[in-house]
Amino acid sequence: MCPLDHSEPGPLSANHPSDSTQAAASRIWPSEGYTRAPYWVYQDAETFLQEQEKIFRGPNWHYLGLEAEVKDPGSFKSTYIGEQSVILTRAEDGSLHAMVNRCAHRGNMMTREAFGSAKKLYCVYHAWSYTLKGDLSHAAFSQGLRGEGGLPKDFKHADHGLQKLRLETLCGLVFATFSDETVPLEEWLGEVAHGIRRVLKKPLKVLGYDTQRIHANWKAYHENPRDSYHANILHTFYGTFGLSRMSQESGMILDKTGRHVYFYTKAGTEKKSEDYEKTSSQLRSHNDGLKLEDPSILKWTDEYGDGVSVQILTTYPGFVLHQIANSLATRQICTKGPGQTDLVWTYFGFEDDDAEMTERRLVQTNLAGSAGMISVEDAAVCEMMQHAIGDAQKGQSFIEMGGKDLDISGSSKLSERAIRNFWHHYKTDMNF
Ligand code: FES
Ligand SMILES: [Fe+2]
């Protein structure tokens, strides 16, 4: 499936506009702070508009794609930061550039293509064209005709380029920011950059895409891959077939600001204990009686040599990198109004993978994505939660597993500290 759909702009109204208006009247954060998330924050239309300004156009880095997607000079892709369509280009000299997908003349969208190749960016409305670096190169009829019309004498091409974004890369990932104040990408990622370097160790090769429309607020999904507590409980496939269990060696690493996190599990490192046995017997997620007719999906190789079978990495506010066995993918959160989110999955391997490894990655792609054996439940619970919130007049979530603080230390996955840290940064950015 095409990784994005420009034909359907994000609806800026909430699922229930009248409810949203009522919620706005009581837009007060609970006194407990980041250990609670009020349910109106998942629905309120005014809050959603503020998020676009303060978070998506604010001082954060946003994932745009893989360098491998715009490999050749002249290639481009279009994608989103929040609701804003942006273009990522590879110029003739090999440099990468990011710019708003909007003509500097009268605001027309420059391209509706997800991917393409061009010598220049051309606006169909009045034929202004731009270099692949976003500079205006030609404005049609700028001198007028037969002495009439045309642009003013003081018109300077240099003043009318596309709006450019700052761009940085790490291990083949491309990030951009609207803000001059955002610290350099690696500094911003901090300790979590190690988790990126571990997985993206060689030049990448794209294997395919899957775009999933989730009928829930973007924050409901963003909380999910930060939530190591749910992983071995909700996802029955993980526990039943041993890819990830609470009883296995695992860890959780946050950067020192608490914005970003990754957690990991090592398959085959079972440590049985009395309290684990007692709890796991009550979980639906762990069923030793089930067997796969075709277990080939579970045949993975330890390509990193560290025994880690699952690593899920999340950066604030909308990016996920996963390694589930030999399945590798990025996930990009694209907001589509307060009540809808597109999750763009990009599956990849390495350029030097042999045919057997590529086949293995493709088979294990069935673990992830919109209908994945493991991840199918994530979108389902986000949507169930969005429905259960109802009119959001009252109520709040409770986020005290593993403590009430922002302490980033400790390795237990039985903790919601990454989620508390998310709400802390969210509240700060939004001035709540
Ligand atoms: S809007 Fe692009 S050339 Fe007029
Ligand atoms: Fe999950």
Side-chain angles (χ1 to χ4, degrees):
M1 179 179 169
C2 174
L4 81 172
D5 182 359
H6 283 312
S7 64
E8 194 178 350
L12 287 174
S13 58
N15 277 354
H16 312 287
S18 58
D19 298 336
S20 170
T21 309
Q22 290 165 33
S26 57
R27 210 183 298 133
I28 297 166
W29 203 277
S31 58
E32 293 89 342
Y34 47 72
T35 62
R36 303 288 188 277
Y39 291 139
W40 55 257
V41 87
Y42 297 93
Q43 287 191 340
D44 182 45
E46 175 57 29
T47 298
F48 180 79
L49 290 173
Q50 295 280 323
E51 289 167 350
Q52 297 299 312
E53 183 194 330
K54 293 176 175 165
I55 295 178
F56 293 100
R57 293 193 297 276
N60 296 304
W61 286 103
H62 303 279
Y63 173 73
L64 294 188
L66 301 175
E67 283 198 64
E69 293 176 283
V70 284
K71 207 169 164 188
D72 302 319
S75 56
F76 68 85
K77 76 171 275 193
S78 58
T79 182
Y80 284 90
I81 295 178
E83 299 285 293
Q84 181 60 61
S85 178
V86 297
I87 315 174
L88 169 64
T89 63
R90 173 89 64 182
E92 317 271 279
D93 63 3
S95 56
L96 288 168
H97 302 269
M99 57 211 82
V100 171
N101 187 5
R102 184 177 62 223
C103 182
H105 177 219
R106 297 248 302 278
N108 186 37
M109 182 174 265
M110 292 298 301
T111 181
R112 300 178 68 201
E113 303 297 320
F115 294 98
S117 173
K119 287 197 167 14
K120 62 181 181 184
L121 299 170
Y122 176 85
C123 179
V124 295
Y125 204 171
H126 314 92
W128 285 28
S129 52
Y130 303 82
T131 69
L132 293 167
K133 296 182 179 180
D135 298 317
L136 180 64
S137 54
H138 181 75
F141 300 111
S142 60
Q143 307 297 318
L145 266 184
R146 293 181 287 277
E148 287 189 279
L151 290 165
K153 294 246 176 315
D154 62 356
F155 180 85
K156 290 194 189 74
H157 282 59
D159 294 340
H160 300 274
L162 300 178
Q163 184 184 346
K164 297 172 186 176
L165 278 63
R166 277 174 67 204
L167 177 151
E168 288 195 29
T169 63
L170 178 66
C171 300
L173 303 177
V174 183
F175 286 81
T177 177
F178 280 88
S179 173
D180 293 333
E181 290 165 22
T182 322
V183 298
L185 179 63
E186 286 211 50
E187 186 184 334
W188 189 74
L189 291 168
E191 294 73 4
V192 166
H194 298 306
I196 292 176
R197 281 207 192 81
R198 174 186 165 271
V199 173
L200 306 179
K201 58 180 185 169
K202 292 185 286 187
L204 311 181
K205 177 175 69 178
V206 176
L207 297 179
Y209 297 95
D210 177 15
T211 296
Q212 177 176 18
R213 172 66 51 92
I214 299 173
H215 299 276
N217 184 267
W218 67 274
K219 299 184 292 299
Y221 186 80
H222 181 78
E223 286 180 289
N224 182 278
R226 299 177 80 95
D227 176 4
S228 52
Y229 177 25
H230 89 280
N232 301 115
I233 298 173
L234 174 69
H235 301 302
T236 55
F237 196 93
Y238 265 150
T240 298
F241 300 110
L243 276 177
S244 178
R245 288 178 179 166
M246 288 295 186
S247 53
Q248 294 167 343
E249 188 183 330
S250 62
M252 192 197 313
I253 287 135
L254 283 90
D255 76 297
K256 66 176 182 305
T257 71
R259 277 192 188 87
H260 322 299
V261 60
Y262 68 97
F263 58 87
Y264 63 87
T265 301
K266 296 185 177 184
T269 54
E270 305 278 338
K271 262 196 211 127
K272 301 265 176 185
S273 64
E274 212 175 295
D275 56 350
Y276 174 76
E277 293 300 322
K278 218 156 113 191
T279 308
S280 67
S281 64
Q282 295 164 31
L283 301 179
R284 65 187 269 280
S285 58
H286 189 144
N287 186 341
D288 286 330
L290 291 177
K291 295 276 172 292
L292 290 173
E293 284 287 326
D294 175 5
S296 60
I297 197 170
L298 298 173
K299 281 194 190 131
W300 68 288
T301 57
D302 182 11
E303 60 182 309
Y304 300 103
D306 54 11
V308 171
S309 46
V310 176
Q311 180 190 294
I312 311 288
L313 183 149
T314 307
T315 71
Y316 181 88
F319 170 68
V320 180
L321 169 69
H322 87 225
Q323 174 228 333
I324 301 174
N326 298 117
S327 159
L328 306 176
T330 59
R331 308 175 200 170
Q332 181 188 17
I333 291 174
C334 300
T335 63
K336 297 290 166 194
Q340 298 188 103
T341 303
D342 274 1
L343 189 62
V344 180
W345 301 72
T346 304
Y347 304 95
F348 61 88
F350 298 115
E351 276 181 4
D352 65 358
D353 283 348
D354 59 19
E356 193 185 343
M357 183 53 116
T358 299
E359 179 66 18
R360 187 177 294 126
R361 294 196 203 283
L362 290 172
V363 168
Q364 290 179 358
T365 292
N366 292 296
L367 296 169
S370 51
M373 304 284 193
I374 290 167
S375 45
V376 69
E377 292 103 344
D378 288 325
V381 291
C382 289
E383 294 195 358
M384 285 160 68
M385 179 184 155
Q386 196 82 17
H387 280 296
I389 285 169
D391 64 9
Q393 294 302 297
K394 286 192 187 137
Q396 58 205 21
S397 60
F398 175 81
I399 317 168
E400 294 189 6
M401 191 67 179
K404 297 183 182 185
D405 52 42
L406 297 174
D407 186 0
I408 58 162
S409 62
S411 64
S412 173
K413 290 202 301 179
L414 287 173
S415 173
E416 289 169 324
R417 62 186 178 281
I419 300 174
R420 287 191 290 279
N421 274 279
F422 164 66
W423 287 115
H424 167 66
H425 283 287
Y426 176 84
K427 281 174 81 259
T428 306
D429 283 357
M430 295 289 288
N431 299 321
F432 280 135

